[in-house]
Amino acid sequence: ETGDLLELFMNIKGMPRVLSLMRGAWRLAPPQDLRKPSDWSGPTLKIDNESDSTVTVVDLAAGGQVGIQASRGSATSKDEAEWLREMGLPSAAEDSARLASSCTPVDNASFYKSAVQKLVRFRPSSCLLADRSEVSARAALVFCFVRLVNSPGAFVPNIQRFVTGVESAAKRLAVIAVEDADPRPHGEALERLLAAALLAQRSGSLGSRWFPCRSVVREWLELALRLFDSTSVLKYQGKPLKDRNRRWNSEDAPLGRCAALLHDVRSFASDEAMFQEAAAGGLPELSSASHPAIMPFPEHAID
């Protein structure tokens, strides 16, 4: 049916036939299975505790279903300066304006994803901007993460689908925790992050895509700052991924559940394997206490 509708649309619009090469990217979104929490008796992943939350039932790659319970927020509810202020960072308005000016040439979701990871990985004290002024790296981290969450998203050719800023932000922060910090103290928070990424991915057409409420965005920002303050990382053994089709199970350890969710969200096998290794325990820690004082920004935040 999807192909017939696309064919009809192209004929009516007189579109060039080359568009048929992109046929796999166009899909009619299935109806969302939204329920009241009391109407769903299956396994549930709760993202927030808001009173107006609903349950979206999603199919899992390894079989079965899970309900993701969350309320809905708005991308326009707060700007970057307000979030800087809420996270207790000084000079919020000035730093936000200077960061916005410096990011103008690279203002896209790909840059903000890279910047968030580079800031957590290198943990500089401050960022040197194009005008030679400095802002705290913590302010840059909050600014870039909020920009990523609020990004409308983009079509990603290698996976042939549209990825929203919310999905990108939640998934990337979870991967950062396992690659560039110690994820073990944050297992349940990371599981909520990946549940949010899955909900953003499966939440239907563009007109009804899920956006987190303020309390959830604040939780994500707090986690990003905790990862930034991390003093150790795990030394992974590079073990191959076990049982990639393992179904999410509420009885597993939190980081093991994260590995299963990451498979549903879709990521590299190496990221799933790191979550599995961290869940198994026994990995040595490496100190990450030494960091640069200044990081040129935005050029050193680009992949």
Side-chain angles (χ1 to χ4, degrees):
E1 293 179 2
T2 304
D4 293 340
L5 286 174
L6 179 58
E7 192 81 18
L8 176 62
F9 182 75
M10 290 167 63
N11 288 337
I12 291 173
K13 294 293 185 180
M15 291 181 174
R17 307 308 300 173
V18 69
L19 279 182
S20 63
L21 295 175
M22 302 293 289
R23 186 183 301 275
W26 297 85
R27 291 288 185 270
L28 293 178
Q32 294 183 51
D33 190 357
L34 296 175
R35 312 184 186 189
K36 295 179 180 179
S38 59
D39 294 336
W40 169 247
S41 59
T44 303
L45 284 163
K46 184 181 288 189
I47 294 175
D48 61 55
N49 293 306
E50 302 296 322
S51 59
D52 61 345
S53 64
T54 57
V55 173
T56 303
V57 180
V58 301
D59 295 325
L60 300 176
Q65 294 180 315
V66 66
I68 303 179
Q69 183 175 337
S71 59
R72 288 175 177 262
S74 169
T76 59
S77 58
K78 280 190 178 183
D79 63 18
E80 295 86 4
E82 289 178 293
W83 278 115
L84 287 170
R85 194 174 299 112
E86 181 159 330
M87 302 312 294
L89 296 167
S91 307
E94 296 84 351
D95 285 354
S96 180
R98 287 187 290 162
L99 284 163
S101 177
S102 290
C103 290
T104 297
V106 288
D107 185 28
N108 58 71
S110 294
F111 165 73
Y112 294 119
K113 279 193 298 183
S114 175
V116 169
Q117 186 149 18
K118 296 298 189 297
L119 287 163
V120 173
R121 178 172 296 168
F122 296 114
R123 299 178 178 88
S125 297
S126 62
C127 291
L128 180 66
L129 304 183
D131 64 1
R132 313 308 294 174
S133 65
E134 292 183 26
V135 300
S136 85
R138 294 169 68 86
L141 177 59
V142 170
F143 177 91
C144 290
F145 192 80
V146 171
R147 278 282 175 103
L148 179 56
V149 171
N150 283 333
S151 167
F155 178 77
V156 181
N158 64 327
I159 60 174
Q160 286 286 290
R161 67 176 177 84
F162 186 89
V163 179
T164 66
V166 171
E167 180 186 347
S168 292
K171 176 183 171 183
R172 179 55 64 102
L173 190 58
V175 170
I176 288 170
V178 78
E179 289 185 351
D180 300 296
D182 185 347
R184 294 173 299 181
H186 313 296
E188 292 185 353
L190 296 175
E191 182 182 31
R192 289 192 295 274
L193 261 180
L194 290 169
L198 185 58
L199 177 58
Q201 181 186 118
R202 304 284 184 87
S203 61
S205 63
L206 290 176
S208 60
R209 286 196 182 274
W210 175 77
F211 193 89
C213 64
R214 289 187 182 188
S215 63
V216 170
V217 177
R218 182 183 176 89
E219 180 184 352
W220 294 357
L221 289 169
E222 290 172 345
L223 176 59
L225 291 171
R226 287 198 299 272
L227 297 178
F228 181 86
D229 292 333
S230 179
T231 58
S232 64
V233 295
L234 297 182
K235 184 178 180 180
Y236 296 96
Q237 308 303 306
K239 294 180 180 179
L241 179 63
K242 298 179 181 178
D243 192 10
R244 191 171 193 188
N245 291 319
R246 181 177 178 83
R247 183 185 302 179
W248 177 87
N249 187 332
S250 60
E251 301 301 317
D252 289 343
L255 292 177
R257 300 197 299 265
C258 286
L261 283 174
L262 195 58
H263 178 62
D264 278 281
V265 175
R266 295 180 66 181
S267 187
F268 294 113
S270 58
D271 293 330
E272 295 178 46
M274 283 190 284
F275 270 111
Q276 287 187 352
E277 281 198 63
L283 292 176
E285 295 181 19
L286 297 176
S287 173
S288 61
S290 178
H291 306 292
I294 297 176
M295 176 174 142
F297 189 88
E299 55 268 37
H300 281 204
I302 300 172
D303 282 329

